[in-house]
Amino acid sequence: MDTDADMGLSQYNHSPSARPKATLAANGRATPSPAFADYPRLVIRNVHLPFDSDDPTLADPLYNVYCTGGRVDSVELATANGNSHGSRHSTPPHHPEYQAKDRQHAHAELDAQGRGILLPALCHAHIHLDKCFLLDQCDELVTGHFAEALRVTAKAKSAFPHNLEDLFERGRKLITQSVECGVTMMRAHVEVDEAVHFACVDTGLKLQKLYRDICHVQIAVFAQEPLFASPVDERPGLNYALLQSAVHRMGVEAVGSAPYVEPTIAHAKRNIDYIFELAYEAGLHVDFHLDYNLEPAAEPLVWYVLDRLRERIAAGRWRPGAHLCIGHATRLTLFSPAEWARLRVALVEERLPVTLVALPPSDLYMMGRHMESAPRSTLNVPRLAEEHGLRVAMAVNNVENAFTPQGPVDPLNLCPLGVAVFQAGTKKDCRALLEAVTLNARLAIGGVQKGAPYPSITPSRGMLADFVLLHENDTLHSAALNPSFSRTTIRHGQVVARRVAQTWILPQRTPSPSPLRMSPA
């Protein structure tokens, strides 16, 4: 099972030269890995680093981070030969300087000049590649309800096979904007059903190949529509047959479904069983859109999923290195302390390979519409970390479509949203929110090698050199409260994108009279 990326890197192997010559792709076929020399050497100078401790004696100094072979080689305090230790309160030039030291960019330097914090790269743990930027192609929203979103999206989806250029361009826009934000890895859901057949997955695989040097686009074939056509069906229909074919496409790394769309709870459970079996046969990760409701009387299917996962592991029908992702899970917000304790046993003590992914933009927009007072209907990331030790990821899910008409593609935008929604503005809370869109998000989609130490938010030797430099933030706290627009994205020790804010204001040489001041009569 491939872990971090198409590069075949063992995320915490402290000897970069020990990389394998080939990696086993998700479909079991071996693919060559780039040679060690293909990775450039990068020095990131005079930058602030995040630390597990809030000790200012660690956070105030500036550091140099040396990256070789796609990994962190060493981290040192900035030296005095032109690079003073400095402080976050200095006022250096506005943007960091980037210089390639030779024509092949085999050696480059990025000088932050004393301003900016270096964070682990962002990760989309759950985003829909085919349904992004679709709102202007949908019928006008009248109620905003989930059933309406399903209906208008299904209508727009029917045109996908006939407009492949639009499908490609919308996906290209999402990936490009994501990389500019600091994303270097994403799970991109693409739908497979009798309306679109393989149009979405084929387009997704083309985009995966096009952007492979700057972002790992992990294609997840996804059944949004029911596998069973009616409540009386004993066997799945055409949607399942198409999914069976799609999972074996070269480049597909995950398979998922939305069991809640099935006609009965029994069919929803059978949906889960079929997806598990497909994943095992094809060697894929599993992703369920699950328990997407706020009904106290509804059976939480998370327990069924965990029971089936235990059975498959015991029977040897779960691939080593495979990871299970559960998105939405809004029904869990109604859990009692005893139920959360039971879930903690499964995820923390049993160490089942499962991660919950909160999707605040969609969850908050959709859930609780029938209630007089809508609750905070998304998983409370800081609270679950503090009270239950659960590493929950957060993700954007949808961008400008009927399920989520609002919000940008930027995962960091979820942090200030979370501060307000969860009333969580302490330094510890902000750390949990940032980890949710970086480390936890990567874990959710299988980007952390099984059995490896959990990654740290602070760079250290041997770690994958995937970072985002926030030009105008010097601390974790400020990065979560008000993330810098200006950023530099680094993947495998190579600068792959920069986003810079350009501003202008009318210069005032002398004070102008106030337009509100009354003239004397």
Side-chain angles (χ1 to χ4, degrees):
M1 175 67 65
D2 203 7
T3 54
D4 178 70
D6 44 350
M7 300 300 180
L9 297 173
S10 172
Q11 182 141 2
Y12 293 99
N13 180 351
H14 283 223
S15 176
S17 60
R19 291 171 48 226
K21 294 182 180 180
T23 176
L24 189 63
N27 52 20
R29 291 183 280 268
T31 58
S33 295
F36 178 82
D38 290 344
Y39 294 112
R41 175 175 173 82
L42 174 69
V43 182
I44 307 166
R45 297 192 182 279
N46 302 306
V47 69
H48 292 283
L49 297 182
F51 286 90
D52 293 328
S53 167
D54 291 321
D55 184 350
T57 61
L58 292 175
D60 267 334
L62 300 177
Y63 295 83
N64 297 333
V65 180
Y66 298 85
C67 305
T68 304
R71 295 187 171 276
V72 176
D73 183 60
S74 63
V75 179
E76 301 174 352
L77 279 170
T79 58
N81 55 352
N83 299 323
S84 62
H85 290 185
S87 160
R88 69 167 63 108
H89 305 295
S90 59
T91 56
H94 190 63
H95 300 301
E97 294 182 351
Y98 174 67
Q99 294 181 337
K101 296 298 184 180
D102 54 54
R103 293 181 180 179
Q104 288 75 33
H105 290 200
H107 178 204
E109 290 192 3
L110 176 65
D111 191 345
Q113 303 181 66
R115 189 73 201 273
I117 189 167
L118 193 69
L119 297 180
L122 306 177
C123 176
H124 283 311
H126 181 132
I127 200 158
H128 289 267
L129 188 65
D130 46 6
K131 295 189 296 194
C132 61
F133 307 113
L134 194 62
L135 196 60
D136 61 352
Q137 299 181 31
C138 294
D139 292 343
E140 183 178 355
L141 301 180
V142 178
T143 66
H145 289 171
F146 192 70
E148 180 186 60
L150 285 172
R151 177 178 55 78
V152 301
T153 303
K155 182 179 177 180
K157 249 175 58 177
S158 64
F160 287 1
H162 313 293
N163 197 354
L164 295 178
E165 183 178 354
D166 174 75
L167 187 62
F168 182 90
E169 285 302 315
R170 288 187 293 103
R172 182 198 58 78
K173 179 180 177 182
L174 182 140
I175 295 171
T176 300
Q177 289 189 3
S178 297
V179 173
E180 290 171 351
C181 290
V183 172
T184 64
M185 187 177 190
M186 66 175 68
R187 171 164 294 170
H189 294 286
V190 290
E191 297 189 16
V192 176
D193 55 46
E194 54 188 299
V196 297
H197 283 239
F198 304 116
C200 300
V201 66
D202 288 343
T203 299
L205 290 171
K206 289 179 182 178
L207 288 164
Q208 179 193 63
K209 184 177 181 180
L210 177 64
Y211 287 99
R212 64 173 296 169
D213 290 336
I214 64 172
C215 183
H216 179 196
V217 180
Q218 187 190 84
I219 297 297
V221 291
F222 172 58
Q224 173 68 74
E225 305 300 324
L227 302 184
F228 297 88
S230 75
V232 298
D233 284 356
E234 291 294 324
R235 294 184 178 181
L238 179 58
N239 286 342
Y240 177 69
L242 292 168
L243 202 63
Q244 277 184 304
S245 177
V247 298
H248 295 288
R249 298 288 181 98
M250 178 73 77
V252 171
E253 298 180 59
V255 60
S257 68
Y260 58 80
V261 300
E262 296 293 352
T264 69
I265 192 71
H267 286 93
K269 291 179 178 179
R270 294 185 64 188
N271 175 307
I272 291 167
D273 292 336
Y274 275 110
I275 296 299
F276 267 136
E277 189 61 22
L278 277 183
Y280 174 72
E281 292 174 357
L284 306 178
H285 299 293
V286 177
D287 196 305
F288 289 121
H289 296 41
L290 199 73
D291 290 333
Y292 197 21
N293 66 78
L294 289 176
E295 302 298 330
E299 176 185 349
L301 289 179
V302 64
W303 305 126
Y304 183 84
V305 167
L306 296 179
D307 286 343
R308 285 291 180 265
L309 177 60
R310 290 187 185 97
E311 292 172 5
R312 300 190 70 87
I313 292 173
R317 298 191 66 79
W318 179 256
R319 296 273 183 164
H323 203 83
L324 170 61
C325 184
I326 297 178
H328 293 295
T330 53
R331 172 62 179 81
L332 278 58
T333 62
L334 307 181
F335 270 11
S336 66
E339 288 172 307
W340 280 120
R342 177 184 172 189
L343 191 62
R344 173 190 161 80
V345 169
L347 303 190
V348 178
E349 298 179 21
E350 292 183 53
R351 301 185 67 181
L352 292 178
V354 180
T355 301
L356 303 177
V357 181
L359 307 171
S362 300
D363 298 344
L364 295 168
Y365 176 74
M366 280 294 177
M367 292 290 100
R369 286 176 172 268
H370 63 289
M371 300 178 179
E372 290 185 7
S373 179
R376 291 180 172 87
S377 49
T378 191
L379 295 172
N380 190 322
V381 171
R383 183 175 178 180
L384 292 176
E386 173 69 19
E387 297 184 4
H388 303 286
L390 296 179
R391 295 186 179 275
V392 179
M394 287 195 302
V396 170
N397 186 27
N398 286 298
V399 182
E400 292 184 30
N401 65 26
F403 297 96
T404 320
Q406 85 293 354
V409 71
D410 185 6
L412 268 186
N413 190 62
L414 302 179
C415 293
L417 174 64
V419 170
V421 171
F422 306 132
Q423 299 176 332
T426 69
K427 290 182 178 180
K428 190 172 185 179
D429 292 334
C430 287
R431 182 185 303 276
L433 291 169
L434 284 167
E435 289 183 348
V437 296
T438 56
L439 308 180
N440 297 354
R442 193 172 287 261
L443 171 68
I445 63 175
V448 176
Q449 188 181 37
K450 180 178 174 61
Y454 197 79
S456 169
I457 202 164
T458 310
S460 61
R461 188 175 188 275
M463 287 177 57
L464 193 69
D466 276 29
F467 302 109
V468 57
L469 171 60
L470 305 183
H471 299 181
E472 304 299 330
N473 297 118
D474 292 342
T475 66
L476 277 177
H477 202 200
S478 69
L481 296 175
N482 187 17
S484 167
F485 176 86
S486 297
R487 304 175 192 179
T488 297
T489 306
I490 300 161
R491 181 175 190 250
H492 296 344
Q494 183 173 15
V495 173
V496 296
R498 172 167 302 175
R499 190 174 77 171
V500 177
Q502 294 183 339
T503 62
W504 179 87
I505 188 170
L506 180 67
Q508 295 292 302
R509 295 184 179 179
T510 59
S512 299
S514 171
L516 301 180
R517 185 175 299 168
M518 298 295 292
S519 299

